[in-house]
């Protein structure tokens, strides 16, 4: 009887420990998911307001440059991950950390886009004011739909950068030959010298004829 009682106690303790462990894992998953959702919403708001205003003011080339800079920053990390030996521990870690790496990529793109943007122009200020009014109206009229839209705008930011970079790469490069200032100066000097010699020859001819 005492052995059965001890066994029941150990089983109840094990169940309690397993319950606590499962609750901790659920808490961590919920915290991570909530953090990713908040980051996506905040990033979507930045892109839908300031990011689009910068792109509309300075053109899609700004997004292409930000995308190229993010690729340059992540090149070493991607190369290291691709060249390391594939084990089940590393693959599992990569799968778990992939969402956070994608969020970091998107946030880096937004930071570089906003860093290169010029907010002092009149057009950019007008676009920012209009975007703020639209966001306020959508926030009060349909907050749930507005928040979902902001979350979708967040992954759309690097997609637009990638599309702008791809479009820029497909465009043929046109090179315009601009003559150097030295060549222009030499040509002008030669023309002036020829005119001077011609005038001198005319004057000499008039003196001989007279």
């Amino acid at each position: 009887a005492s052995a059965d009682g001890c066994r029941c106690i150990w089983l109840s303790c094990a169940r309690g420990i397993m319950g606590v462990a499962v609750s901790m894992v659920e808490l961590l998953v919920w915290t991570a998911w909530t953090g990713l959702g908040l980051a996506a919403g905040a990033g979507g708001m930045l892109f839908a307001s300031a990011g689009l205003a910068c792109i509309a003011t300075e053109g899609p080339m700004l997004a292409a440059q930000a995308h190229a800079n993010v690729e340059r920053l992540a090149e070493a990390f991607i190369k290291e991950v691709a060249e390391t030996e594939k084990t089940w521990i590393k693959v599992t870690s990569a799968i778990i950390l992939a969402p956070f790496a994608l969020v970091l990529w998107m946030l880096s793109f937004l930071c570089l886009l906003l860093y290169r943007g010029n907010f002092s122009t009149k057009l950019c200020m007008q676009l920012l004011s209009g975007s703020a009014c639209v966001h306020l109206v959508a926030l009060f009229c349909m907050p749930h739909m507005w928040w979902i839209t902001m979350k979708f705008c967040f992954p759309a930011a690097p997609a637009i950068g990638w599309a702008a970079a791809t479009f820029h790469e497909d465009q043929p490069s046109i090179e315009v030959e601009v003559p150097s200032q030295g060549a222009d100066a030499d040509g002008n000097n030669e023309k002036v010298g020829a005119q001077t010699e011609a005038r001198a020859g005319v004057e000499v001819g008039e003196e001989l004829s007279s």
Side-chain angles (χ1 to χ4, degrees):
S2 60
D4 293 337
C6 293
R7 189 178 302 170
C8 292
I9 293 173
W10 280 109
L11 288 175
S12 61
C13 291
R15 289 175 183 174
I17 294 172
M18 289 296 296
V20 172
V22 171
S23 300
M24 292 297 295
V25 171
E26 290 178 352
L27 179 61
L28 290 175
V29 172
W30 178 84
T31 304
W33 184 256
T34 304
L36 290 176
L38 291 175
M45 284 188 287
L46 284 175
F47 177 72
S49 56
L52 290 180
C54 292
I55 294 175
T57 304
E58 303 186 27
M61 189 60 190
L62 180 66
Q65 291 176 354
H67 179 77
N69 290 332
V70 175
E71 283 188 340
R72 194 178 300 111
L73 290 174
E75 184 178 359
F77 175 75
I78 295 175
K79 185 178 180 181
E80 182 179 355
V81 172
E83 292 180 354
T84 53
E85 184 182 357
K86 304 296 186 299
T87 60
W88 69 272
I89 297 178
K90 293 182 178 179
V91 172
T92 305
S93 302
I95 293 174
I96 295 173
L97 296 176
F100 300 96
L102 291 175
V103 170
L104 182 60
W105 177 288
M106 297 172 190
L107 287 176
S108 301
F109 173 80
L110 280 176
C111 291
L112 290 171
L113 180 67
L114 298 178
Y115 175 75
R116 290 179 171 272
N118 186 8
F119 296 97
S120 61
T121 59
K122 184 178 180 180
L123 177 60
C124 186
M125 295 302 295
Q126 291 176 351
L127 291 174
L128 284 175
S129 301
S131 176
C133 295
V134 171
H135 280 286
L136 286 176
V137 172
L139 177 61
F140 286 106
C141 294
M142 41 184 181
H144 184 67
M145 184 63 66
W146 172 80
W147 183 247
I148 294 175
T149 305
M150 292 302 101
K151 287 183 178 180
F152 279 105
C153 286
F154 183 58
I160 292 176
W162 173 81
T166 304
F167 178 77
H168 179 68
E169 290 177 356
D170 294 339
Q171 293 298 314
S173 59
I174 301 175
E175 296 182 358
V176 180
E177 294 183 359
V178 180
S180 60
Q181 295 180 357
D184 292 342
D186 293 339
N188 293 332
N189 291 333
E190 292 177 358
K191 291 180 181 179
V192 172
Q195 293 176 358
T196 304
E197 291 178 358
R199 289 177 183 175
V202 171
E203 292 177 358
V204 171
E206 290 178 354
E207 290 178 357
L208 292 176
S209 62
S210 61

